Amino acid sequence: MNTSVTQNSTSAPVSRLLGVLAVSLLALTGCAAQAAPAESEPVVAGDVVTIDDAWVKSAEEGMSAAFGTLSNSGDQDVTVVSVDSEASSMLELHETVENEAGEMVMREIEGGFVIPAGGTLALEPGANHIMLMDLAAPLRAGEETTFTLTFSDDSTYEFTAPVKDYSGANENYESGDEHEGMGH
């Protein structure tokens, strides 16, 4: 009987030690799993956004617009907050909506364009687009224009778009806008 008591008294501390080790390993594994996301690099919007089928409407003076399909290959939504181009001294991100009279009108979009994670955002006539006002020079078919998008994280993405003839996209500005009545 003494032998069996000795085996049980030796087994109990070893079992407790193994139990403490197992719990400690599980706790450390849980901490490592929680710490992993903190170590990952933040997504830079300018590195995950591209544009396909970009083009600009030709215009002799005044205003024009740029179109294409923005793609976001990242796993987080990104927001375009502004755009610059040497082609125009005043650029805005626009949406086209129906007003109370049933007319399609353009207006600057509040907060910018959101490109969904892993998705696309179409910039097209009669919908979301980049508005160029106060053109620096005529935009003639066959030429190219360069744009720089700025995102909410202050990163940028530059692209070049060909100028094309297009007779559509003649919406008006929303009533009360400083550019009211100006089609593009």
Side-chain angles (χ1 to χ4, degrees):
M1 223 173 194
N2 256 353
T3 308
S4 109
V5 170
T6 305
Q7 287 176 343
N8 285 340
S9 63
T10 305
S11 299
V14 170
S15 295
R16 275 188 241 142
L17 178 60
L18 288 175
V20 169
L21 284 173
V23 169
S24 297
L25 286 174
L26 285 173
L28 288 174
T29 303
C31 290
Q34 290 173 358
E39 294 173 13
S40 67
E41 301 261 340
V43 173
V44 176
D47 293 342
V48 297
V49 171
T50 58
I51 191 164
D52 293 312
D53 304 320
W55 63 281
V56 181
K57 180 183 175 183
S58 64
E60 285 298 314
E61 61 182 3
M63 299 190 304
S64 182
F67 310 102
T69 302
L70 293 167
S71 298
N72 174 2
S73 64
D75 58 4
Q76 298 173 8
D77 293 353
V78 296
T79 304
V80 180
V81 294
S82 66
V83 60
D84 290 306
S85 174
E86 290 183 9
S88 173
S89 62
M90 185 175 174
L91 290 98
E92 293 180 354
L93 305 173
H94 276 202
E95 64 181 346
T96 304
V97 296
E98 189 174 330
N99 67 11
E100 300 81 31
E103 300 168 321
M104 296 307 289
V105 294
M106 295 180 293
R107 66 179 179 201
E108 189 170 12
I109 191 164
E110 294 289 325
F113 294 141
V114 176
I115 310 167
T120 61
L121 175 73
L123 302 178
E124 53 194 12
N128 293 329
H129 59 276
I130 297 170
M131 191 74 201
L132 293 86
M133 296 167 280
D134 192 26
L135 294 176
L139 293 173
R140 294 194 174 100
E143 297 177 345
E144 292 185 333
T145 302
T146 301
F147 296 87
T148 303
L149 302 178
T150 301
F151 300 94
S152 58
D153 66 359
D154 291 327
S155 65
T156 60
Y157 171 71
E158 185 175 285
F159 68 94
T160 300
V163 178
K164 297 181 179 184
D165 285 329
Y166 182 72
S167 61
N170 293 310
E171 298 84 9
N172 291 319
Y173 279 89
E174 184 173 49
S175 182
D177 192 296
E178 64 189 66
H179 306 292
E180 183 177 344
M182 299 173 85
H184 73 282

